Amino acid sequence: MDIYLKSLNNSHKEELHMIYKAYCNAFPEDERRNEFQFWELLENPAVYINSIEDDKEKFGYIIIWQLSSAVFVEHFEVFPKFRGKAIGGKLLSYLLDKFPIVILESEPDFFNITAERRINFYKRNGFIILDKDYIQPAYSENKKPLNLYLMGNKIPENLKVLKREIKEIVYR
């Protein structure tokens, strides 16, 4: 099975509504955008909302930001009925083939067993922990900043600059 990313825009309203609903179910409120902020992403040329699919199925979605020296994966989800079928690993392999540096955030492995499995999944797929003291900025005044791990497939030339870009571009 060959997966690919289908870039979504305003002409894909039905698909985007389905993705937003899944997104709200998959991520706690402090870890995601509100509906207005989600739709606002479509107006930003640095961000891509993509459907993960093959010729027959839609497996999930991924939100990617193009930064100066890396791509930043803000969110990605493989829909529950497709989990355990190596789709997440294929997606990460696809990203690593396409982009020299891929960065993402994840809950620390001590948070719970699911977070531990997720960290191990990323490590098996070529990612390393870049910063264990990383703070994800709050998405809005009524949401909390979060202590997360910042992970990547390699150490960027200037991690400090990249973290500043994430804060100023993704979480502005």
Side-chain angles (χ1 to χ4, degrees):
M1 161 187 19
D2 289 331
I3 64 166
Y4 61 88
L5 299 184
K6 176 179 142 190
S7 187
L8 304 176
N9 58 41
N10 280 314
S11 69
H12 301 98
K13 293 267 192 228
E14 189 175 320
E15 227 172 316
L16 288 162
H17 279 289
M18 188 223 22
I19 285 172
Y20 184 73
K21 183 178 178 184
Y23 169 78
C24 289
N25 289 328
F27 295 95
E29 194 163 337
D30 285 333
E31 291 183 28
R32 63 178 159 82
R33 296 172 183 278
N34 65 35
E35 189 169 7
F36 175 78
Q37 292 169 319
F38 178 84
W39 289 100
E40 205 174 41
L41 291 174
L42 296 169
E43 307 307 318
N44 189 322
V47 67
Y48 302 90
I49 302 174
N50 299 280
S51 175
I52 306 164
E53 46 191 81
D54 68 7
D55 294 332
K56 298 176 189 163
E57 299 272 9
K58 296 179 188 318
F59 301 111
Y61 60 89
I62 184 167
I63 301 172
I64 302 171
W65 290 80
Q66 182 63 61
L67 303 176
S68 66
S69 64
V71 294
F72 176 72
V73 176
E74 183 180 2
H75 291 97
F76 99 83
E77 177 188 13
V78 173
F79 297 139
K81 75 178 191 174
F82 297 111
R83 292 182 189 154
K85 300 181 190 302
I87 293 165
K90 286 179 182 181
L91 171 67
L92 292 178
S93 179
Y94 175 90
L95 292 175
L96 296 178
D97 285 346
K98 190 168 173 132
F99 304 106
I101 301 179
V102 179
I103 305 293
L104 54 79
E105 303 161 332
S106 190
E107 293 169 326
D109 50 5
F110 59 80
F111 189 73
N112 59 36
I113 191 69
T114 303
E116 182 180 356
R117 288 182 183 141
R118 191 174 298 120
I119 293 291
N120 289 332
F121 163 75
Y122 289 134
K123 286 179 175 179
R124 279 193 315 275
N125 284 281
F127 284 75
I128 56 174
I129 297 171
L130 302 173
D131 187 348
K132 286 187 173 187
D133 299 316
Y134 173 79
I135 304 292
Q136 177 198 48
Y139 276 105
S140 64
E141 288 180 12
N142 62 336
K143 295 186 179 185
K144 299 177 190 126
L146 301 167
N147 292 79
L148 300 175
Y149 285 172
L150 190 66
M151 301 185 74
N153 62 315
K154 58 179 79 162
I155 300 170
E157 207 171 288
N158 194 330
L159 183 58
K160 188 175 177 180
V161 168
L162 185 60
K163 288 184 346 185
R164 187 175 66 238
E165 266 190 277
I166 292 168
K167 182 178 181 179
E168 293 174 358
I169 295 171
V170 176
Y171 294 102
R172 67 176 166 85

